[in-house]
Amino acid sequence: MNPRTGITQIAQAYPDRVEVRGRDLTGDLMGRLSFTEYFHLLLTGEEPTEEQRYYLDLLLVAIAEHGMMPTNVAARMTLAADPGSLQGAVAAGILGAGPVVLGTSEECARLLASGREPLEIAREIHDAGGKVPGFGHPVHKPQDPRAERILELADARGVSGPHVQVARQLRDAVAETWGKPLTMNVSMPIAAVMLDLGFPSSAVKAAPILARTAGLLAHLAEEKEHPLGFQLAKAAEEAVDYEP
Amino acid sequence: MNPRTGITQIAQAYPDRVEVRGRDLTGDLMGRLSFTEYFHLLLTGEEPTEEQRYYLDLLLVAIAEHGMMPTNVAARMTLAADPGSLQGAVAAGILGAGPVVLGTSEECARLLASGREPLEIAREIHDAGGKVPGFGHPVHKPQDPRAERILELADARGVSGPHVQVARQLRDAVAETWGKPLTMNVSMPIAAVMLDLGFPSSAVKAAPILARTAGLLAHLAEEKEHPLGFQLAKAAEEAVDYEP
Amino acid sequence: MNPRTGITQIAQAYPDRVEVRGRDLTGDLMGRLSFTEYFHLLLTGEEPTEEQRYYLDLLLVAIAEHGMMPTNVAARMTLAADPGSLQGAVAAGILGAGPVVLGTSEECARLLASGREPLEIAREIHDAGGKVPGFGHPVHKPQDPRAERILELADARGVSGPHVQVARQLRDAVAETWGKPLTMNVSMPIAAVMLDLGFPSSAVKAAPILARTAGLLAHLAEEKEHPLGFQLAKAAEEAVDYEP
Amino acid sequence: MNPRTGITQIAQAYPDRVEVRGRDLTGDLMGRLSFTEYFHLLLTGEEPTEEQRYYLDLLLVAIAEHGMMPTNVAARMTLAADPGSLQGAVAAGILGAGPVVLGTSEECARLLASGREPLEIAREIHDAGGKVPGFGHPVHKPQDPRAERILELADARGVSGPHVQVARQLRDAVAETWGKPLTMNVSMPIAAVMLDLGFPSSAVKAAPILARTAGLLAHLAEEKEHPLGFQLAKAAEEAVDYEP
């Protein structure tokens, strides 16, 4: 083999057809798969089961949009400054989809898959002065309604398995360790349900970014019609004093 | 009204609920809407009709992935250099979703909605030495199979309307003016079908970016498992000579 | 020639040396050139004259930093959300360095080099309801002190030439046409002086981006020590009401 | 104090002046400071000493440009796809300035400042199967000429202090532990000299990003004149086979 040659398993375009994950894009996939099913196929090489499809839709809907969040603010300010570059504004927004705001699902998944005792986890993090991934929310108190709804639907459809169980034990362990209940936010049940449904860990990280892109595009379409970007920037600027 | 106050119509988070486009996210939308339907609601404020839903899924699937394209190459090289930042690599890829590669749907829509004679449009662009948006493709010859499939399904389901008709007239006009048929690429039927289905122009621009994000996330999940980024960069570097 | 082979004139690394623009990086350039001189060499292939060096430093200093601007706000919010990715936060900030905020120097240069009558330009833009590039500023009234200082130093050092002259005529023409003086902002003298000093147009566009990157890095170093990002985002969010 | 109020020490624009780090931008800084000196002032609040200025220039020159690197390739491909957005292409390039390619100066600084025995550090990393930050280079063998030149100039000018000494001890320790000399790359002496000159750690991380931005802008100016982006992408694409 040529040492310069690498392999991709995703897709190839030919003059008269496009092949994706071993399937014919135009003859087979287009018109048959929903975008959510196609996203699963792209990411994992497999079409989802009906339960996987249902929950992937559910989770993407749960986290796509949450109001005038920092990522949406940054994206709108960027579009205001460069109205011709929708992709630049989307990129600026996605760059804010970092661990603090969006990336805890992955950490939650690691915790849930660790096989460790929930109470032991909670105590160790508490004693180190840390925060347990998936707990606490600046707006939602005492409960994150999205988290509760995901668990409710997972129970009702019979997909709650061992990872959902550990998530609930972790909630109790956190309450006991901190001496009061903390809000279990949406990241924890997302991770738990995805693991119980057999999603790979790459999907746990990728899904929030795709979801958030949809929300960003909505804000940027609105920004195009009704600009708020400079007003947002002005309010931010005025919240800070200069003191050399 | 307070001059500092702006209005958004998209969403608001409250302690015990999230409202999106006037609907209750957890009680109404989660578990009922597919991600595609939700994207439509976010973007336009309305849930899609069944035909709109079908074609939005179709179009998102048509353009999400097309092999090792420049955007995917750039994103994979970026992840190789900064493996911890999936969002940085996605952003780098989206920044390449510019007019040359991805943005022509919007220009196609403008052309189709202009009310001008196709032959007149083609001649004017030809005489100015320009390229007609939506025509020509580096790989697909003589036809772009995705474009043909979209038109076929639009005809079969009875949604082809005046804009699809103009797109076809434009294809004939281009062939006559250039003296040979040119490939009508996927951007033109996307624009035509979206206009015939009543999508706003913001959706014509936003849909390709959401679609391409799904493809990027698939390439980045593969890159994480089987790194190619530096190999791609090396091949690119070796294609160029330094001559001061 | 191999059709696959392209040419770059900028640089090449060899096992034992690095060549940049035909010069030996370590043996010749390092320790001899200032970063500003090197930037000029990189960009144009030539080392700057002393006057070019002086004004490139002057202009970079003039526009690197201007307080809590939208680009700095977006960058700080992005670092708050993803504290590990300094490069992601810089990128988010640079994406806002678009034509509305930063890019008018290039348009000013085009205007100054057009050879057209200042009064004719002003009237045409006025009658079309437009804005003349390089005029107007949200904070600086009646004068932009940076613009005045650049002109003053250009006169004092004898580098003001025909483009600076046209810039001043344009200021008079704008005042006459609009019936009142408008602030000539910093973009116009930057363009005028750079043209009078023989800078290529690529430098007119590149210099503001390099300058602004320095300002972004300062804000992000401060953000790391004294986080403000979420506070900025909160103030922005509270300036907007949700009305579905 | 208003809980909403934060403090920035960097800059503030007023109608008739701009204040930066407590100094008058137009009356004091413009025309007096070089861009390098201003960058130091922005970042640290202090003007640099002459030695700090000399080495900051030296280090920025050393790492600004290194040929057709992955970051430059990604940026050029992005500009090819979106020729109107110079800032988008710069941002795409900067996103690749991650730890693998560019960020090791910061890790080197941590190592040098740790106070630990070089031999102990080397053995611990070796036994864990890791790589020592600042050692190894894909092109430069057996020495990185930029690293050697920085050390040479630091010795000649008498600024080499304890951190440069530890860097050299680390080089010996690495050679002993690995059983052969490894290339000390440019990141290590950059970190060592900056620490010996009293730069804060924020500068160690920020300087490479500013430097690299200059190189990116040069490549993008060349790309604008002589496009290579799609050719680079094609060469990369052809280095990979699709195997579903």
Side-chain angles (χ1 to χ4, degrees), chain D:
Chain D
M1 196 186 85
N2 182 333
R4 287 277 312 288
T5 302
I7 304 292
T8 179
Q9 299 184 292
I10 299 176
Q12 175 80 42
Y14 303 94
D16 62 341
R17 75 184 202 283
V18 180
E19 201 178 302
V20 178
R21 293 290 191 182
R23 290 153 174 88
D24 182 7
L25 172 62
T26 52
D28 176 12
L29 305 173
M30 282 171 60
R32 180 170 69 82
L33 295 193
S34 74
F35 181 53
T36 301
E37 292 165 328
Y38 189 55
F39 177 51
H40 190 280
L41 173 64
L42 280 171
L43 207 54
T44 70
E46 308 284 341
E47 296 182 29
T49 64
E50 173 51 22
E51 285 302 321
Q52 286 175 328
R53 198 277 312 154
Y54 177 85
Y55 281 96
L56 191 49
D57 269 324
L58 174 68
L59 303 176
L60 290 167
V61 170
I63 51 181
E65 176 51 32
H66 201 249
M68 197 58 79
M69 299 177 58
T71 47
N72 291 328
V73 172
R76 291 182 84 131
M77 285 170 25
T78 304
L79 192 69
D82 190 3
S85 179
L86 179 60
Q87 61 271 23
V90 172
I94 285 177
L95 288 170
V100 176
V101 165
L102 199 62
T104 53
S105 285
E106 211 188 6
E107 284 178 67
C108 292
R110 219 173 292 133
L111 228 55
L112 294 172
S114 69
R116 297 179 57 202
E117 272 300 306
L119 204 54
E120 186 192 306
I121 295 174
R123 282 185 185 151
E124 185 183 297
I125 296 177
H126 180 270
D127 293 352
K131 292 176 58 179
V132 186
F135 289 89
H137 196 281
V139 175
H140 295 308
K141 293 176 209 309
Q143 292 191 316
D144 181 335
R146 301 164 299 168
E148 301 310 311
R149 182 64 175 151
I150 291 170
L151 292 177
E152 185 184 30
L153 287 166
D155 291 348
R157 295 175 67 103
V159 308
S160 296
H163 296 95
V164 167
Q165 195 183 343
V166 175
R168 283 179 160 133
Q169 291 169 346
L170 203 48
R171 184 199 324 229
D172 294 341
V174 163
E176 185 184 324
T177 309
W178 264 259
K180 59 174 182 189
L182 299 185
T183 303
M184 181 197 276
N185 67 45
V186 70
S187 293
M188 182 60 76
I190 285 179
V193 170
M194 290 185 91
L195 291 175
D196 277 341
L197 284 167
F199 282 98
S201 70
S202 61
V204 178
K205 178 85 191 225
I209 292 182
L210 184 69
R212 196 52 61 93
T213 303
L216 284 166
L217 288 164
H219 276 274
L220 293 169
E222 188 182 69
E223 177 72 24
K224 200 87 184 172
E225 292 295 308
H226 303 290
L228 291 175
F230 286 123
Q231 186 175 329
L232 294 167
K234 190 157 185 45
E237 186 195 344
E238 288 174 358
V240 176
D241 286 337
Y242 165 67
E243 288 184 13

Side-chain angles (χ1 to χ4, degrees), chain C residues 104-105 107-108 111 131-136 183-189:
Chain C
T104 53
S105 285
E107 284 178 69
C108 292
L111 227 55
K131 290 177 59 179
V132 185
F135 288 89
T183 303
M184 180 196 278
N185 66 47
V186 71
S187 293
M188 182 60 77

